[in-house]
Amino acid sequence: MEEVQAIGLGTGNETGTGPLADQGPEGTDGPSHPGGSAVNGDRTVSEGAELLSELRKAIGQYVVLPSDAALTAVTLWVAATHLQQVLQHAPRLAVVGPTKGCGKSRLLDVITETVHRPMITVNTSPAVVYRVIGKNPPTLLVDEADTIFGPKAGDKEDLRGLLNAGHQRNRPAWRISGPEHKPTQFPTFAMAALAGIGNLPDTIMDRAIVIRMQKRKAGEKIAQFRSRTSVPALHRLRDRLAAWLAPLLDTAAEHIPKMPVEDRAADTWEPLVLAADLAGGQWPALARAACSAMTRYEADQDEETALKTRLLRDIRHIFAKEGNPEALRTHDLIEALRTDPEAPWAEHGANGLNAYHLANLLRDFDIKPANVRFADGRQAKGFTRNKFRDAWERYCPEPSAPANEPRPPGQRGPLAPPAGAVPPVPPGLPSGPKQTR
């Protein structure tokens, strides 16, 4: 994380840092084509750069973004929605936060008034969305994304499939349609912004510009968003964006920006960098700096997710080693984790895994330590096995045991997968704990 922060994620110093665009000849404002001419004439470049700066300021006055890089990314994502007709990829904007009250819905309110053809999809049926998307697709906006992806989602497979497939052009959905019940092809390509608590599914996050919102600090002030006064000004910005970019669609279709990242990350960020190149000025540098910083940050998040999944598996092995008691003391669980020579826990943090680290790593799974009374009558902080069951089933399910493989006496369900030797828990661990009320 130190390296990410150093190039502008959350530090406010992203201007002029990070990988830069291929600059045009000396004295020009924008990146160049192989022939050496700027993407746009000086007048258009100046107009676009100024307009993006106004949009950036307008977004920033109503919501506190987690970093300057994030504010740059949101600004360019909004601009890219006005280029959808010529784009090959439609990046999702994943606006996520750990709790309510982080400004996710307010950010969606603001960008709804500035994007190309906004369409709110919270209560829209997939059939309607399929028929609305066409050669000039709308921008889909979904608040409370758990209505699609979470436990309350219900039967929304069509909408989930649309959001996954619509990241890339020419990935249509086929449905039986019309009185003659003919197979009909429906386009899925459309940019989409989704807001929700916690991470969205990996299939969305991998195709998204991820904005990780946080609650405002006491000293962070924002302007009040009021429809009567705020929306007209945002609409004027939207109309100016459309007027600026409409004559540049052919130029945008031909321009291939130089990207600081590769593979799917390049596909996802290319529309934003393209919009920045069309604007010129400082925007090509800002876009590439934000791209580098935010993609590297998300890669670090992926590593942390893998670490948390490893922790769940290791804790399950420790419970199994101890005969699957109802609970284990926090101290004993940490000791067992740290003494595993094949695990990273002895080196986790400055002095190895401790109670604070353990609680922090398990927080996203809604697993917390509790006061537990053990069989010896003593009460101590501990973790009950039942608290882990849901997370184990979701993130590291056990494979089914072969039919001819014997189970240990008293063990129900599938056997735990082999994971090498687990050092014994320090002696004296009482068995048969009971959770206090």
Side-chain angles (χ1 to χ4, degrees):
M1 281 300 300
E2 290 79 11
E3 181 180 0
V4 176
Q5 292 174 343
I7 62 173
L9 188 61
T11 63
N13 65 341
E14 61 175 352
T15 305
T17 63
L20 302 182
D22 48 327
Q23 298 293 329
E26 184 176 357
T28 64
D29 290 325
S32 62
H33 286 299
S37 60
V39 173
N40 295 302
D42 288 343
R43 184 189 64 80
T44 306
V45 168
S46 176
E47 175 189 358
E50 182 179 352
L51 183 53
L52 288 184
S53 296
E54 290 183 40
L55 176 61
R56 192 180 195 275
K57 182 179 179 180
I59 295 171
Q61 72 176 330
Y62 292 116
V63 62
V64 176
L65 274 296
S67 67
D68 284 345
L71 181 54
T72 294
V74 172
T75 302
L76 292 172
W77 186 88
V78 169
T81 66
H82 296 272
L83 297 170
Q84 286 187 82
Q85 295 180 59
V86 298
L87 299 179
Q88 293 302 309
H89 291 86
R92 279 71 185 96
L93 188 72
V95 184
V96 299
T99 63
K100 296 179 179 179
C102 293
K104 300 181 298 296
S105 296
R106 176 62 71 232
L107 179 57
L108 246 61
D109 288 341
V110 175
I111 65 176
T112 294
E113 308 305 334
T114 53
V115 298
H116 171 72
R117 295 187 64 208
M119 179 179 180
I120 306 297
T121 63
V122 172
N123 293 316
T124 300
S125 71
V128 172
V129 179
Y130 279 127
R131 285 162 174 79
V132 169
I133 295 176
K135 292 183 179 180
N136 184 18
T139 302
L140 308 178
L141 300 121
V142 183
D143 200 0
E144 299 180 3
D146 59 329
T147 60
I148 296 178
F149 301 109
K152 303 176 183 178
D155 185 18
K156 294 289 182 69
E157 287 297 330
D158 279 357
L159 200 49
R160 284 193 287 268
L162 184 154
L163 289 169
N164 285 333
H167 176 259
Q168 186 171 346
R169 192 176 289 280
N170 298 323
R171 296 294 185 270
W174 288 86
R175 294 291 182 272
I176 298 298
S177 180
E180 298 180 1
H181 301 286
K182 290 184 177 180
T184 305
Q185 178 178 276
F186 292 96
T188 62
F189 183 83
M191 291 180 70
L194 304 99
I197 295 176
N199 282 351
L200 300 172
D202 288 345
T203 53
I204 296 295
M205 299 291 276
D206 288 345
R207 296 166 169 83
I209 311 298
V210 181
I211 308 297
R212 297 188 177 275
M213 303 293 289
Q214 299 289 337
K215 281 197 171 185
R216 285 187 291 124
K217 297 178 182 178
E220 292 177 327
K221 304 297 182 182
I222 57 173
Q224 294 297 308
F225 184 85
R226 294 289 181 267
S227 296
R228 290 181 60 187
T229 56
S230 304
V231 169
L234 293 174
H235 282 181
R236 286 192 292 271
L237 271 175
R238 177 200 62 196
D239 295 343
R240 290 171 60 199
L241 274 174
W244 163 54
L245 290 170
L248 301 178
L249 290 179
D250 290 341
T251 302
E254 295 176 0
H255 180 57
I256 302 176
K258 184 177 180 180
M259 300 298 298
V261 293
E262 299 177 343
D263 302 324
R264 180 168 287 168
D267 293 337
T268 298
W269 277 88
E270 184 179 84
L272 281 69
V273 175
L274 175 58
D277 283 355
L278 292 174
Q282 66 176 344
W283 283 96
L286 289 176
R288 288 166 173 86
C291 174
S292 296
M294 294 176 68
T295 52
R296 190 175 296 120
Y297 181 83
E298 288 307 309
D300 291 342
Q301 295 299 302
D302 290 342
E303 291 178 7
E304 184 176 348
T305 299
L307 187 69
K308 292 177 181 179
T309 305
R310 168 67 186 265
L311 178 62
L312 289 174
R313 289 197 303 265
D314 288 352
I315 291 174
R316 183 176 60 196
H317 298 153
I318 293 171
F319 269 99
K321 182 74 174 180
E322 296 303 313
N324 288 324
E326 294 179 28
L328 289 173
R329 285 184 173 90
T330 300
H331 173 271
D332 296 332
L333 183 57
I334 291 173
E335 190 66 22
L337 288 166
R338 291 179 56 161
T339 54
D340 184 346
E342 299 180 1
W345 310 117
E347 291 80 31
H348 185 81
N351 300 302
L353 186 73
N354 58 31
Y356 172 80
H357 297 148
L358 182 61
N360 191 49
L361 289 168
L362 295 174
R363 184 176 294 115
D364 286 345
F365 304 113
D366 197 25
I367 299 172
K368 303 175 183 178
N371 292 323
V372 179
R373 189 173 301 281
F374 290 83
D376 60 1
R378 295 182 179 180
Q379 182 173 291
K381 284 288 185 181
F383 287 88
T384 59
R385 186 171 180 272
N386 281 339
K387 286 289 187 179
F388 288 93
R389 290 182 181 275
D390 182 71
W392 286 340
E393 291 176 3
R394 292 180 185 276
Y395 298 99
C396 52
E398 296 176 318
S400 299
N404 60 352
E405 183 174 347
R407 285 181 167 80
Q411 180 172 328
R412 299 180 179 179
L415 292 171
V422 178
V425 178
L429 179 66
S431 59
K434 297 180 181 178
Q435 188 171 357
T436 57
R437 297 185 180 181

